[in-house]
Amino acid sequence: MADEVLYEVRDQVAWITLNRPEARNALNKATRDGVRDAFVRFNGDDNAAVAVLTGAGDKAFCAGGDLKEMADTSLRIPPRDFMVYLGRTLKVDKPVIAAVNGVAYAGGFLLAQQVDLVVAADHARFAITEAKVGRGSPWAAPLPWLMPPRVAMEMLMTGDPISAQRAYELGLVNKVVPAEDLVAEAQKLASTIAGNAPLSVQAAKSLVYASAEMGWTAALDTGDRIYEKVYLSEDGQEGPRAFKEKRKPVWQGR
């Protein structure tokens, strides 16, 4: 893995850290490749049940694409695999949390948008700044599913940032915490999820995204299909058995 992205597992939680604080963790090629490699590694890491994506330093989660590199390469339309897009270019069944420790602009906003849960420091800011530099944000198409469409429209058209608190009020962020508590709170949330039955957790993630694609009845039918393997799994028997025996369940993920 590139030095621009770090990977560390702490108690079943894989911490993936953008490591270019001097460049506000901007996404140059090495960083984009490193993020993709980190999530591929997470997919195959049996010791990691949840991933947390964050940035080094206390100023920026990720300031977006490296505009200097874009200028040097005369980048026009980014190819589909320009950077990883979870659920689109890379399937990740396990949950992913963003611990947003500063500005999340442009490509940084994309990273926060594509994860499953977001914990933000109280000084964090979110913006889709592409309109200010003449670039595009087609990746923001799912945004009206995450926040009111007119707010999404405003963010796309103005390029102006919103605060972490405003993002929380809109439902884009799950929790806002003091900056000094961000790592501990993200680890706590991740550990809570990691302690649950893995097949149930992964099914929950699948259900939420699948339901975004369909209507009420179809979503219920899809939920039946998604959860069938959960009910039929060994863990599906282990949970009630552990409750009856007054002990902590031992999950097998099967």
Side-chain angles (χ1 to χ4, degrees), residues 84-139:
V84 70
Y85 199 136
L86 304 183
R88 191 182 192 203
T89 64
L90 180 66
K91 189 173 187 290
V92 177
D93 293 328
K94 295 182 284 188
V96 180
I97 300 169
V100 180
N101 55 303
V103 300
Y105 291 173
F109 189 102
L110 166 58
L111 289 174
Q113 176 188 291
Q114 65 178 277
V115 302
D116 307 312
L117 301 170
V118 177
V119 180
D122 51 12
H123 71 287
R125 297 291 183 270
F126 297 82
I128 304 170
T129 55
E130 278 79 355
K132 291 184 180 295
V133 292
R135 301 296 294 176
S137 47
W139 47 261

Side-chain angles (χ1 to χ4, degrees), residues 109 113 126-129 137 140 142-163 165-173:
F109 189 102
Q113 176 188 291
F126 297 82
I128 304 170
T129 55
S137 47
L143 193 57
W145 178 70
L146 294 168
M147 62 167 53
R150 287 187 174 175
V151 179
M153 189 86 72
E154 180 182 354
M155 293 191 71
L156 285 160
M157 289 181 170
T158 66
D160 292 338
I162 61 172
S163 68
Q165 182 61 32
R166 176 64 170 150
Y168 171 76
E169 292 165 356
L170 293 167
L172 186 68
V173 166

Side-chain angles (χ1 to χ4, degrees), residues 182-203:
L182 179 65
V183 170
E185 288 293 332
Q187 179 73 29
K188 180 180 177 182
L189 177 60
S191 295
T192 297
I193 295 169
N196 290 333
L199 294 181
S200 295
V201 168
Q202 292 172 30

Side-chain angles (χ1 to χ4, degrees), residues 39-61:
F39 280 113
V40 170
R41 180 173 175 179
F42 171 59
N43 268 346
D45 192 342
D46 292 336
N47 294 315
V50 181
V52 176
L53 177 66
T54 194
D58 57 6
K59 291 183 171 55
F61 170 71

Side-chain angles (χ1 to χ4, degrees), residues 57-81:
D58 57 6
K59 291 183 171 55
F61 170 71
C62 174
D66 190 321
L67 295 177
K68 293 179 181 178
E69 184 182 79
M70 288 184 188
D72 290 343
T73 59
S74 301
L75 179 68
R76 291 186 178 274
I77 300 176
R80 186 182 177 93
D81 62 350

